[in-house]
Amino acid sequence: MQKANIIFFYGPPATAKSYVAQQVAKQTGYVYFNLDEFYVKVKAQTEIEKLNKLMQVFQAEPKNYVVDGFLDKKAQAVVFFEHYQKPRYIVYFQSSKDEVEQNIRILSTEEQKKCRFQRFSNFLQNRDELLAYLKKFQFFVTVDAVQKGLSNNFQQSSDLIIQSIMNILKPKVLVALTYNNEELAEVYLNKVETELGFKHLHLETLCEEELAKGTPQGKQMGAFLNSGQVVPPQMQIELLRKYLYNDPQQNKFILTSFPEKYQEFRTFEDKLFPITGLINFLKEGKTVSFSAKINPVLHYSAEGKNLIIQNEDLGPFQSYLTKRVKFGIVIGPVMSGKTTFAKYISQKFGFNLIEWGETAIAQLKEKLSTVPGEQIEELTLPMIIKYYKDLFSNVTNEKYVFDGFPPGCEKPEQILQFLNLGQASWVLNIGIDQTNQWIRYKIKSEMDVAAEMTDDDKEKMITNAKAHEEILKQVQVYVQQQPDCKLFKQDTNYSLEQNFKSIDQIFGKRVYLASILTNLDSDIYEALKLIYINIAAKYKMAFVDVEQLIAKNFEKLSNDYEMRWTKQNCKNPSNFTPETIMKLVKQYIDDLPIQSRDVLLWGYISADQQGDKQQQEQIFPRATDELMMVEKSLGQIKVLYAITEQPLNSEINDPEWVLEKPEVPPPKQEGDGGDEEPKDGGNADGEENVPKFNIYNYQWTKSEVPKNMAQIFMKVKQPNPVQLEVSDYSFKLIYDNFDELFQSIQENNNHTYFAQIQLQQPIMD
């Protein structure tokens, strides 16, 4: 028997419940059902009458309902859930007693006040017992009914409540662009439907079916088609709305033959909700093409939502949707330093560290024990695998690093089973030559480095090395089968500092900065921004518009950080500390659906941006601080673009400062008294063989002028300089030139560039 699909709205009066319910019903196409009006209509007065009448109407007309109101008491809810059905959701409007009473006084007429205060009193009498019961169920969700203060900002606050509810109800919807590889798209979408439970909606087919049915909506579409016009996007969206919300059991969709213009995507998102992502089917070796206008591919690439598919593997699609746990493993023979590197990766790049030492094993034994405070007797490999498999299935968007494989994980099938806890993202193999390995063993064993190792010790080391080689073979098999897993090799025969720099290059981001050092008209600004969006899309970079990011988070930022008084645009990054900006940027990058090693920051560095500044603002913040925080928070800066109208001085030519050396007093004679001078080879602190600092042994320069970003970057990073002169008719030169820079960086990760983009006339009429 078909049952109704019900969403109850429960909460105190004067919390915008009815208005929100009506709007949610309108957006989902559900039937709006006012519970109080229904009780009056059917003349239900007792609790039993109300409950019976309600179940009868839902049984007689099993539709999709948004119910404005809920049962008064726990006993009614128990009967409804156990003898009829459980709802899809119960949305509870949470608000404080003071806030509700204030809303009643301000938002009610004199006639409504008495009634609403009485209803609120009845609500409070039954609320605690009913809430305690409802909170046991997963379908119970809470929304903040206070928001910005409903009584003062009704429309804005109620819109925020609607948005939070629609975020709960909205299905996953991806739009597939199939025209670049239709053969692959057909096979892939069929697999997505059959294996992953998505429903494929071909919009053109849906319109044809609606026409054939002769529905009022179909007739409207036919009128446009018969007159030689296309069906308006708004009409197509209303048709989609019926399919997207109709079946609560089906909440995953792929749309094809969707309008391909950017504005039509915007209309869809304005009227419904942001799409989950774009699936772009390309042939092997192809990349995103350059476009002189913003289009869906560029727009969603900039948002990290353009999923490129070039083969039949469903792995990237599943990873995109689930935000599964990402983990890696550091492996290596004994004395290779793998524990040191695992700890460094954890601390520097925010991975949760999992070790296999005695303390960690004891903690795991205690976690797996059913008796609090006690440990299980034996910890087996299957138990370890099950524990972490369960852990990874219950958390998302977290990063873990394992210090090697767990004890007992040696056989090929065990290694592969452990790597499949979720899906390993990387494996770091630590390499060390035998000589250095044996030296480290002697040092750790407190042996004389020059002493010979015993045969037993040599045998242990050789056996361990062979065991590691077998593990590495299985890892290589896994990596060949999993294209999303990377195998890195780190040679640890060098200094620790050099090794850490190599690790930074593997796990750190490669950062590309586009700093605007001149005032630009909005058209020029957007045209230049589009060039860099094209660059980010082609090379699969994370694109961050820093000023736009500040604007989206401005309320939180202005509360957390007291802004300085300024005449600058309040969303300008220079109004905030570099630490604040980088924290915001890093969070944004970490939350992107598609992760990339390369990050392009548009509108940053900000310290040298032109504007109406006060004198005291000239040094806040310093470009040095911004550059340093970028590398500390994200990774090495590979290219710094400086967009200017005038040539930018990147050299430091401070005048020499010559110090006049004072006359040296004659040495003291014996018996003159006073403190004795330190003897040769020592100093006053008793340190031997440390020469005394002498200011006159160094060359000095005078500087009364603050250094600009270019001067600092050229001095510290010593990059390769690039000079481009462009006008609005030749902006694409920036895009074309970047290919050469990127290929150079790919070939040698140590390459860095400073590119000055000088804007020439004519600049857009």
Side-chain angles (χ1 to χ4, degrees):
M1 181 181 70
Q2 184 181 356
K3 292 188 176 182
N5 170 37
I6 307 167
I7 302 172
F8 284 109
F9 281 22
Y10 170 52
T15 52
K17 199 163 66 274
S18 295
Y19 174 77
V20 170
Q22 290 169 359
Q23 295 304 310
V24 170
K26 182 179 179 181
Q27 291 190 33
T28 56
Y30 283 22
V31 176
Y32 172 72
F33 190 100
N34 186 293
L35 200 55
D36 289 336
E37 292 178 0
F38 170 74
Y39 290 153
V40 172
K41 181 180 177 181
V42 299
K43 299 178 181 179
Q45 296 182 351
T46 67
E47 293 177 14
I48 295 177
E49 286 178 342
K50 291 177 179 179
L51 186 59
N52 287 336
K53 293 288 187 181
L54 188 62
M55 289 193 290
Q56 286 171 11
V57 74
F58 288 154
Q59 287 173 340
E61 300 180 62
K63 301 176 182 177
N64 294 327
Y65 293 96
V66 170
V67 180
D68 179 6
F70 186 59
L71 304 165
D72 295 326
K73 297 182 178 180
K74 173 188 171 182
Q76 292 174 294
V78 171
V79 173
F80 188 89
F81 295 169
E82 294 182 359
H83 294 278
Y84 178 57
Q85 72 172 69
K86 292 181 175 65
R88 183 181 177 190
Y89 286 111
I90 296 176
V91 181
Y92 176 61
F93 283 58
Q94 184 169 291
S95 185
S96 68
K97 184 173 182 290
D98 291 343
E99 185 76 20
V100 173
E101 290 176 345
Q102 178 178 302
N103 290 346
I104 292 174
R105 284 191 291 269
I106 296 176
L107 299 175
S108 308
T109 64
E110 289 303 320
E111 287 184 21
Q112 292 173 327
K113 283 181 184 178
K114 184 176 180 181
C115 177
R116 286 182 170 177
F117 274 119
Q118 182 59 50
R119 284 169 52 203
F120 185 41
S121 177
N122 295 338
F123 169 83
L124 291 176
Q125 288 178 12
N126 301 303
R127 179 189 61 181
D128 292 346
E129 184 183 24
L130 184 52
L131 275 182
Y133 173 67
L134 295 177
K135 287 179 179 179
K136 299 176 182 178
F137 299 99
Q138 290 186 343
F139 55 71
F140 179 81
V141 295
T142 300
V143 295
D144 179 7
V146 177
Q147 298 291 347
K148 293 179 176 294
L150 193 63
S151 58
N152 298 320
N153 300 276
F154 179 86
Q155 190 63 51
Q156 190 176 14
S157 293
S158 55
D159 285 347
L160 289 170
I161 298 170
I162 293 167
Q163 183 181 349
S164 66
I165 294 172
M166 292 307 297
N167 284 337
I168 297 169
L169 299 178
K170 71 179 181 182
K172 285 185 172 68
V173 176
L174 294 99
V175 177
L177 303 181
T178 63
Y179 49 82
N180 286 316
N181 196 339
E182 292 185 353
E183 185 177 344
L184 173 62
E186 183 179 357
V187 174
Y188 202 91
L189 294 178
N190 183 58
K191 289 177 69 175
V192 167
E193 272 199 290
T194 56
E195 297 181 29
L196 302 180
F198 276 76
K199 187 175 181 62
H200 179 191
L201 299 178
H202 190 277
L203 188 54
E204 190 175 315
T205 301
L206 296 182
C207 292
E208 291 173 356
E209 290 175 353
E210 201 71 14
L211 284 167
K213 292 176 184 176
T215 64
Q217 194 172 18
K219 290 177 181 178
Q220 287 181 324
M221 291 180 179
F224 280 96
L225 294 173
N226 293 334
S227 63
Q229 302 178 63
V230 297
V231 177
Q234 178 63 44
M235 201 169 288
Q236 295 176 337
I237 289 168
E238 291 307 314
L239 176 61
L240 281 173
R241 193 191 301 273
K242 293 196 304 186
Y243 290 90
L244 297 178
Y245 287 110
N246 185 55
D247 182 1
Q249 304 303 317
Q250 181 62 59
N251 62 354
K252 300 185 293 186
F253 299 90
I254 301 283
L255 304 185
T256 54
S257 78
F258 192 80
E260 295 169 7
K261 293 181 180 177
Y262 169 64
Q263 191 55 49
E264 291 165 335
F265 275 78
R266 289 288 303 273
T267 302
F268 177 94
E269 295 195 335
D270 289 343
K271 299 297 181 183
L272 288 173
F273 46 77
I275 68 169
T276 308
L278 194 70
I279 308 175
N280 193 359
F281 290 98
L282 296 179
K283 293 184 177 179
E284 291 281 2
K286 295 293 183 180
T287 59
V288 174
S289 302
F290 178 84
S291 174
K293 293 183 178 180
I294 191 70
N295 60 34
V297 171
L298 293 182
H299 172 73
Y300 291 109
S301 292
E303 291 189 348
K305 294 167 71 173
N306 178 35
L307 179 62
I308 295 175
I309 300 296
Q310 295 178 303
N311 56 54
E312 296 181 20
D313 179 23
L314 291 179
F317 183 86
Q318 291 174 295
S319 296
Y320 177 87
L321 289 175
T322 58
K323 292 186 178 179
R324 290 180 290 184
V325 163
K326 293 178 174 61
F327 72 91
I329 304 176
V330 182
I331 63 173
V334 66
M335 297 298 148
S336 62
K338 66 180 180 62
T339 297
T340 299
F341 291 111
K343 289 180 178 178
Y344 179 77
I345 292 167
S346 169
Q347 294 167 1
K348 180 73 181 284
F349 302 103
F351 284 78
N352 297 297
L353 176 63
I354 300 174
E355 300 176 280
W356 305 114
E358 290 182 7
T359 303
I361 293 294
Q363 290 173 347
L364 191 51
K365 283 183 175 181
E366 188 171 330
K367 288 179 181 177
L368 293 173
S369 174
T370 56
V371 181
E374 294 188 11
Q375 299 180 10
I376 58 173
E377 291 185 8
E378 183 182 7
L379 182 63
T380 64
L381 181 61
M383 293 168 69
I384 293 173
I385 291 175
K386 183 180 185 306
Y387 173 81
Y388 283 106
K389 197 162 192 174
D390 291 344
L391 174 66
F392 289 175
S393 65
N394 290 317
V395 295
T396 57
N397 228 19
E398 288 286 343
K399 300 186 296 184
Y400 292 85
V401 54
F402 287 96
D403 178 12
F405 287 97
C409 190
E410 299 165 354
K411 296 178 181 179
E413 62 272 15
Q414 293 172 329
I415 293 168
L416 294 178
Q417 192 178 7
F418 190 81
L419 287 167
N420 282 307
L421 285 172
Q423 185 179 11
S425 302
W426 53 267
V427 179
L428 177 62
N429 178 41
I430 307 297
I432 184 171
D433 64 35
Q434 192 179 73
T435 302
N436 284 325
Q437 186 184 26
W438 289 8
I439 289 172
R440 292 182 186 180
Y441 178 82
K442 292 173 186 177
I443 293 172
K444 188 169 184 179
S445 303
E446 297 182 350
M447 296 170 57
D448 187 342
V449 175
E452 284 291 325
M453 289 181 62
T454 66
D455 291 341
D456 286 345
D457 286 338
K458 288 181 181 179
E459 186 63 30
K460 287 179 184 177
M461 302 289 278
I462 293 170
T463 301
N464 178 268
K466 289 180 178 178
H468 171 67
E469 289 174 6
E470 292 302 316
I471 290 174
L472 182 57
K473 286 179 183 178
Q474 296 308 314
V475 168
Q476 290 169 335
V477 170
Y478 177 84
V479 170
Q480 288 172 357
Q481 296 171 348
Q482 300 289 343
D484 288 341
C485 184
K486 307 296 182 186
L487 176 60
F488 302 109
K489 182 179 179 182
Q490 177 62 37
D491 184 350
T492 62
N493 293 304
Y494 304 103
S495 70
L496 194 60
E497 183 182 0
Q498 286 178 297
N499 287 322
F500 283 164
K501 285 182 178 178
S502 298
I503 295 293
D504 290 346
Q505 291 184 356
I506 292 173
F507 292 96
K509 301 289 188 184
R510 295 187 302 200
V511 186
Y512 307 80
L513 303 174
S515 182
I516 306 161
L517 306 181
T518 184
N519 293 318
L520 298 176
D521 292 338
S522 60
D523 289 343
I524 296 295
Y525 180 91
E526 292 300 329
L528 277 169
K529 179 180 173 181
L530 183 59
I531 293 294
Y532 285 95
I533 291 176
N534 269 283
I535 288 173
K538 179 177 180 180
Y539 297 100
K540 300 180 182 180
M541 297 178 175
F543 180 87
V544 186
D545 182 335
V546 177
E547 192 166 306
Q548 188 179 80
L549 188 61
I550 291 171
K552 287 181 179 178
N553 295 272
F554 185 70
E555 185 174 336
K556 180 179 183 300
L557 286 175
S558 56
N559 289 335
D560 291 349
Y561 173 72
E562 185 177 352
M563 289 179 56
R564 63 201 175 96
W565 185 90
T566 178
K567 290 187 177 181
Q568 285 280 85
N569 166 17
C570 60
K571 308 300 192 301
N572 192 301
S574 69
N575 290 326
F576 303 90
T577 64
E579 291 88 349
T580 300
I581 297 301
M582 281 301 104
K583 182 178 178 182
L584 188 65
V585 168
K586 193 172 186 305
Q587 183 63 56
Y588 175 79
I589 292 170
D590 289 343
D591 289 342
L592 288 175
I594 298 176
Q595 293 292 303
S596 173
R597 183 185 180 187
D598 297 294
V599 178
L600 197 161
L601 303 187
W602 168 255
Y604 207 70
I605 301 300
S606 66
D608 292 339
Q609 290 181 7
Q610 298 297 309
D612 186 8
K613 296 184 180 181
Q614 301 299 305
Q615 184 61 39
Q616 66 269 26
E617 294 183 273
Q618 300 297 326
I619 58 171
F620 184 95
R622 296 176 301 180
T624 320
D625 297 332
E626 291 186 319
L627 291 167
M628 182 271 293
M629 280 306 302
V630 168
E631 295 213 329
K632 182 179 179 181
S633 303
L634 300 179
Q636 290 188 341
I637 299 170
K638 306 312 296 180
V639 181
L640 172 57
Y641 283 98
I643 300 171
T644 69
E645 288 183 328
Q646 302 297 327
L648 191 64
N649 178 27
S650 60
E651 295 183 2
I652 297 176
N653 296 310
D654 292 333
E656 185 179 353
W657 183 23
V658 181
L659 298 177
E660 294 185 9
K661 194 171 183 179
E663 294 183 9
V664 180
K668 293 181 179 180
Q669 302 297 320
E670 279 190 41
D672 284 351
D675 295 334
E676 292 186 11
E677 289 290 321
K679 298 177 182 179
D680 291 343
N683 60 23
D685 295 325
E687 297 177 356
E688 296 184 359
N689 301 319
V690 178
K692 294 172 66 174
F693 174 75
N694 190 336
I695 193 174
Y696 304 103
N697 291 341
Y698 297 87
Q699 290 183 327
W700 299 87
T701 57
K702 280 185 180 179
S703 179
E704 297 177 353
V705 180
K707 304 298 181 288
N708 64 34
M709 176 189 69
Q711 291 170 322
I712 294 167
F713 192 71
M714 291 294 290
K715 179 71 174 178
V716 175
K717 300 289 289 186
Q718 298 182 346
N720 300 309
V722 177
Q723 182 84 24
L724 285 179
E725 295 183 0
V726 300
S727 71
D728 48 304
Y729 297 108
S730 59
F731 280 172
K732 191 171 179 288
L733 284 174
I734 303 170
Y735 175 87
D736 295 335
N737 172 263
F738 184 81
D739 186 67
E740 181 180 336
L741 306 188
F742 191 78
Q743 294 304 324
S744 172
I745 292 166
Q746 291 289 88
E747 293 168 6
N748 188 337
N749 201 43
N750 292 320
H751 283 179
T752 305
Y753 291 90
F754 173 72
Q756 185 175 169
I757 309 298
Q758 189 174 340
L759 303 179
Q760 302 290 310
Q761 297 294 331
I763 294 290
M764 287 189 182
D765 296 330

